[in-house]
Amino acid sequence: MKRILIGYISNTKGSGLDNYIYNLVDVLKTEDMQIDLLSSAIDKELEEKYKADPNIRFLPIDRIPHPKKRYNQIKKYAQENKYDIAYFNISEAFDCFGNLACHQIVPVVINDNQNRLKRYVSKVAHICGRPVINKYTTYCFACSDLAANWLFGKGKKYRLIRNTIQSKRFLYNSMNRKEVREQLGISEETVVLGFVGNLTYSKNPFFLLQFMKELRKKIPNSYLLIIGDGPLRNSLEQTASKNKQNYILFLGKRFDIERYYSTMDLFVLPSNFEGYGIVGVEAQVNGLPCLFSDKVPKALAFSNHSLFFHTQNMEEGVEKAQKLLQLGRMDPKEYPSEILYDLNDQKQEFIDIFIHGKFEK
């Protein structure tokens, strides 16, 4: 039996990063493999997730602010379990403790990158950690060129692994649309915009408050659903309340976000930084028209009903939102045939990498 160590589960409900790892686990658990998942946020709900799978375990570790403990815990797990592969899916190089802990213990160490956060202090720490990541990583994967350049630096050899999802889960469902709108007290005539993501600086959520204020001058019967949680949530809710923006609903963390995509008429992702943006894949699979900031990789847009805009240009954003709303939903059958977004299309690639050891394409 092969053994794999995977980090890290953040346990932020609806997280694109967590969902990506869960999708990988769903593929690998069908093989003869022991899968250990590192997390600093294990709760009862998370423990229940793989309770019926004896070969899948959650292993507790300390958070990043306790680097020595985090390093020692991962090293101990690596020594005790004799893993064949250690796979770390991270966005900042300063979280290099897993690489260091597994060095010379685990034969293969893989680093993958899904998104990025770039503020001054984080950037300095990230740049300092980048040489460590590159030295103690056997293979480098990334979901986009932008993500690879951020985590590993320009010129580093890496393998592109597309972000995929369980597409059937996110297909448009009219019953979900009706039920959720009734629960929220929103009529079918109301135009509903939506955002899904962690409420952090990188996602630029404060932009949405001003954006809705301007959009309602053109579309008075418009609402915004904000799905997610994070350090900015309290200040966002306070600002919305102060501005009497009762048309903005904060729904917190959700495990059933597919129901809310069907409720929306337009998806907005105004990120300041984005390695890829898997929520954009989910929204497009649902058929939603999508408005992305120009900081989101262009490769994310595979739907003809997707546009990019400069967040510094509010007028441009409002105009493009109106244009997309006129276009309406897109039938997923109309997507270009070469688009790869379904997990089933990527299963063999995951098996080749983690089971058969075909790390280079």
Side-chain angles (χ1 to χ4, degrees), residues 157-301:
K157 183 180 179 181
Y158 73 96
R159 179 172 176 176
L160 180 68
I161 302 292
R162 290 287 298 272
N163 279 342
T164 52
I165 62 172
Q166 295 179 358
S167 60
K168 288 184 179 179
R169 173 188 169 193
F170 294 98
L171 294 176
Y172 175 72
N173 184 304
S174 60
M175 186 59 68
N176 283 341
R177 181 183 179 90
K178 180 181 178 182
E179 290 177 353
V180 173
R181 286 191 172 226
E182 287 179 352
Q183 291 168 7
L184 298 176
I186 298 175
S187 69
E188 180 56 35
E189 292 72 33
T190 300
V191 175
V192 177
L193 283 71
F195 164 87
V196 178
N198 293 327
L199 301 181
T200 60
Y201 172 81
S202 63
K203 300 298 182 181
N204 197 19
F206 274 102
F207 169 86
L208 294 167
L209 275 59
Q210 184 61 34
F211 178 74
M212 285 302 298
K213 185 177 179 180
E214 296 301 318
L215 181 68
R216 280 177 64 88
K217 293 177 182 178
K218 305 288 185 179
I219 310 176
N221 66 326
S222 55
Y223 271 62
L224 171 68
L225 308 183
I226 294 182
I227 300 174
D229 205 348
L232 298 182
R233 180 174 177 179
N234 287 341
S235 54
L236 282 163
E237 290 187 337
Q238 289 171 8
T239 302
S241 177
K242 182 180 178 181
N243 295 337
K244 298 181 179 180
Q245 292 180 293
N246 57 354
Y247 47 83
I248 298 179
L249 305 181
F250 294 87
L251 303 181
K253 300 175 184 178
R254 307 290 313 189
F255 273 133
D256 57 347
I257 54 175
E258 68 276 7
R259 300 179 67 238
Y260 292 84
Y261 285 126
S262 293
T263 303
M264 302 170 192
D265 299 301
L266 174 66
F267 182 77
V268 185
L269 188 64
S271 304
N272 284 319
F273 314 109
E274 196 71 60
Y276 190 70
I278 199 167
V279 291
V281 177
E282 296 168 354
Q284 288 176 92
V285 167
N286 187 268
L288 275 169
C290 294
L291 183 63
F292 301 128
S293 83
D294 61 335
K295 303 301 182 182
V296 173
K298 298 297 186 291
L300 177 62

Side-chain angles (χ1 to χ4, degrees), residues 1-4 6 24-35 84-85 108 110 141 159 347-359:
M1 175 184 289
K2 278 198 170 185
R3 297 174 179 270
I4 183 172
I6 299 178
L24 172 62
V25 171
D26 286 343
V27 172
L28 298 182
K29 73 180 184 181
T30 62
E31 306 294 321
D32 187 24
M33 178 170 271
Q34 173 68 46
I35 303 170
D84 298 284
I85 300 172
V108 177
I110 300 173
F141 297 163
R159 179 172 176 176
K347 277 185 177 180
Q348 191 58 51
E349 187 172 22
F350 281 150
I351 291 172
D352 285 343
I353 292 171
F354 295 102
I355 304 298
H356 302 309
K358 297 179 180 179
F359 302 110

Side-chain angles (χ1 to χ4, degrees), residues 114-180:
Q114 293 296 325
N115 54 31
R116 64 173 181 165
L117 172 66
K118 190 168 80 173
R119 304 200 72 177
Y120 182 73
V121 174
S122 296
K123 183 179 179 181
V124 171
H126 167 77
I127 291 173
C128 291
R130 189 184 281 163
V132 179
I133 286 290
N134 286 324
K135 183 177 180 179
Y136 296 108
T137 300
T138 316
Y139 296 100
C140 297
F141 297 163
C143 56
S144 70
D145 292 338
L146 183 65
N149 290 339
W150 163 251
L151 186 62
F152 309 120
K154 292 184 178 180
K156 179 70 175 180
K157 183 180 179 181
Y158 73 96
R159 179 172 176 176
L160 180 68
I161 302 292
R162 290 287 298 272
N163 279 342
T164 52
I165 62 172
Q166 295 179 358
S167 60
K168 288 184 179 179
R169 173 188 169 193
F170 294 98
L171 294 176
Y172 175 72
N173 184 304
S174 60
M175 186 59 68
N176 283 341
R177 181 183 179 90
K178 180 181 178 182
E179 290 177 353
V180 173

